[in-house]
């Protein structure tokens, strides 16, 4: 049972490049979340999904897009990367809203 | 904006001592959760306390919740070097799908 798996673990991009971060969960969870973590700021929610085919904006959605075509996968896209998007990105999932979230180990993204 | 705010930001203690950290929040909640993050890893859930509960224990962890003061505390007893980590509180607001995290407390346990 792998839990929440994030791909890739590390990536370096140049300004203006695009990329997609993949999150996969094998727990049949309905809710999935993308966060970014910056020093001293805790976790900030980028986008989230309450079920297959749904997405919603979080606290800091600008510059990011998401898709949830399959229940087990939640993709985070950067269309035109900017240095301000250098961060550690975490994906999380949970079955119901009154339950804890399960986190992946993060993707460390540097944009030069 | 962050719902929960932890205090202190950093804490350094000797092995065997107790560590206490606090969390304050602003809106009505269904539950409050505490997570641990080891360096370079994702967050791991420690304990969940519901709004109608006042205290909860899990091993060496004790969590209290005071909804009238909108605050919670996490106590780690008899700390070990392996407890060195960042600790985050997160609130599950009423009628919301999201958790709101605080900025965390960094705990260092000295041998």
């Amino acid at each position: 049972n792998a839990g929440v798996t994030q791909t890739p673990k590390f990536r370096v991009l140049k300004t203006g490049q695009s990329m997609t971060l993949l999150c996969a969960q094998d727990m049949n969870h309905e809710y999935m979340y993308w966060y970014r973590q910056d020093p001293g700021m805790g976790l900030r929610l980028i986008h989230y999904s309450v079920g297959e085919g749904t997405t919603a904006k979080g606290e800091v959605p600008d510059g990011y897009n998401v898709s949830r075509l399959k229940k087990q996968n939640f993709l985070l896209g950067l269309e035109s990367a900017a240095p301000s998007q250098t961060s550690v990105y975490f994906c999380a999932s949970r079955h119901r809203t009154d339950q804890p979230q399960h986190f992946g180990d993060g993707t460390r993204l540097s944009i030069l | 904006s962050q719902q929960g705010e932890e205090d202190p930001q950093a804490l350094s203690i000797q092995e065997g001592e107790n560590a206490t950290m606090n969390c304050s929040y602003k809106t009505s909640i269904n539950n409050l959760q505490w997570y641990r993050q080891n360096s370079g890893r994702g967050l791991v859930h420690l304990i969940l306390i519901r709004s109608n509960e006042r205290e909860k224990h899990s091993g060496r962890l004790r969590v209290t919740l005071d909804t009238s003061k909108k605050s919670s505390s996490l106590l780690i007893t008899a700390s070990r070097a392996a407890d060195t980590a960042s600790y985050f509180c997160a609130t599950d607001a009423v009628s919301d799908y999201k958790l709101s995290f605080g900025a965390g407390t960094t705990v260092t346990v000295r041998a």
Side-chain angles (χ1 to χ4, degrees), chain A residues 31 33 35 37 40-43 45 48 50 59 90 94 97-101 103-105 108, chain B residues 1-2 31 33 35 37 40-45 48 50 88 92 96-99 101-103:
Chain A
Y31 300 88
Y33 306 83
Y35 297 91
Q37 185 177 35
M41 299 193 71
L43 276 81
L45 182 65
Y48 64 101
V50 301
E59 186 184 353
F90 287 99
R94 61 177 174 177
T97 56
D98 62 345
Q99 292 184 340
Q101 292 186 4
F103 282 81
D105 275 338
R108 283 145 188 83
Chain B
S1 62
Q2 290 168 343
N31 64 69
Q33 304 175 25
Y35 290 79
Q37 184 181 32
R41 303 299 302 272
L43 278 71
V44 174
H45 175 254
L48 181 153
R50 302 192 188 282
F88 295 88
D92 229 341
D96 202 351
Y97 302 116
K98 314 181 292 289
L99 284 180
F101 286 84

Side-chain angles (χ1 to χ4, degrees), chain A residues 13 21 31 36 43-44 47-48 54 58 64 69 73 83 86 104 108 112:
Chain A
L13 290 178
L21 282 63
Y31 300 88
R36 60 178 289 173
L43 276 81
R44 292 185 291 169
H47 285 282
Y48 64 101
T54 75
Y64 305 95
L69 298 179
N73 296 335
T86 293
R108 283 145 188 83
L112 307 178

Side-chain angles (χ1 to χ4, degrees), chain A residues 44-92:
Chain A
R44 292 185 291 169
L45 182 65
I46 305 171
H47 285 282
Y48 64 101
S49 169
V50 301
E52 181 178 312
T54 75
T55 62
K57 293 181 180 180
E59 186 184 353
V60 288
D62 293 342
Y64 305 95
N65 57 74
V66 288
S67 65
R68 183 120 181 251
L69 298 179
K70 293 183 178 180
K71 187 176 184 179
Q72 63 268 33
N73 296 335
F74 195 28
L75 278 63
L76 178 70
L78 285 73
E79 291 182 346
S80 179
S84 61
Q85 293 177 305
T86 293
S87 188
V88 182
Y89 291 85
F90 287 99
C91 176

Side-chain angles (χ1 to χ4, degrees), chain B residues 12-71:
Chain B
S12 180
I13 56 174
Q14 202 75 28
E15 206 166 21
E17 292 181 337
N18 296 343
T20 300
M21 59 211 85
N22 303 296
C23 172
S24 60
Y25 60 92
K26 297 172 184 171
T27 62
S28 296
I29 60 171
N30 283 324
N31 64 69
L32 186 144
Q33 304 175 25
W34 285 92
Y35 290 79
R36 183 187 74 234
Q37 184 181 32
N38 292 97
S39 180
R41 303 299 302 272
L43 278 71
V44 174
H45 175 254
L46 295 176
I47 198 161
L48 181 153
I49 185 164
R50 302 192 188 282
S51 60
N52 60 354
E53 298 175 312
R54 292 297 167 258
E55 189 170 310
K56 206 160 183 181
H57 296 254
S58 177
R60 293 183 296 110
L61 305 179
R62 173 178 167 250
V63 167
T64 63
L65 179 65
D66 186 334
T67 53
S68 67
K69 295 181 179 178
K70 291 187 168 57
S71 68

